[in-house]
Amino acid sequence: ALDHLLLPGGESVDALRLCVALTPYWETRGFWREGRARCEAALRDCPPDTAPELQASVTVATGILTLGQSDYPAAQILLNDACRRWEPLGEPRGIASALCWRGYTEHRLGRYDEARASVEQALRTGADDGDIPWRAKAFETLGDIASLQADLAT
């Protein structure tokens, strides 16, 4: 279905929505390359007037799938872009998710201070959103950073 939507003349907005919906599946199954390629194609082909929230969501999804391939520099570019896309929209859940994943990327790149700042900002921004998965990733990342920095008090 997604391949059909990605064909020229396909419904690009529906392709974006399907990419967001399929990301947990691709992530769980380890289909990083497949998911990333389809998300990139959907973003590339979407019209400029596509809902910015949808574009931002797919950018985060693409960043997550890129992380799964251990392509940290590319993931950082995508997640920085996702943060820039979410911020003017003022949607705390989207901003917090993008910041959390950006922090995880910075952690994987060994930039612990930047990682901690991004993740802590994510936790402040999305404090009341009730989204357990990204909050779990945020606390996991903070724990990893503390351990790697021998900060056992944190």
Side-chain angles (χ1 to χ4, degrees), residues 108-124:
R108 299 301 294 173
L109 288 166
R111 300 177 186 145
Y112 302 129
D113 291 336
E114 294 91 340
R116 184 186 302 265
S118 287
V119 174
E120 288 175 347
Q121 184 181 354
L123 288 168
R124 285 189 304 275

Side-chain angles (χ1 to χ4, degrees), residues 82-91 94-95 99 102 121:
C83 288
R84 281 190 296 275
R85 289 175 184 261
W86 274 116
E87 282 186 17
L89 302 175
E91 206 284 323
I95 295 167
L99 284 167
R102 181 176 76 183
Q121 184 181 354

Side-chain angles (χ1 to χ4, degrees), residues 57-68:
S57 293
V58 177
T59 304
V60 171
T62 308
I64 292 168
L65 296 164
T66 302
L67 277 168

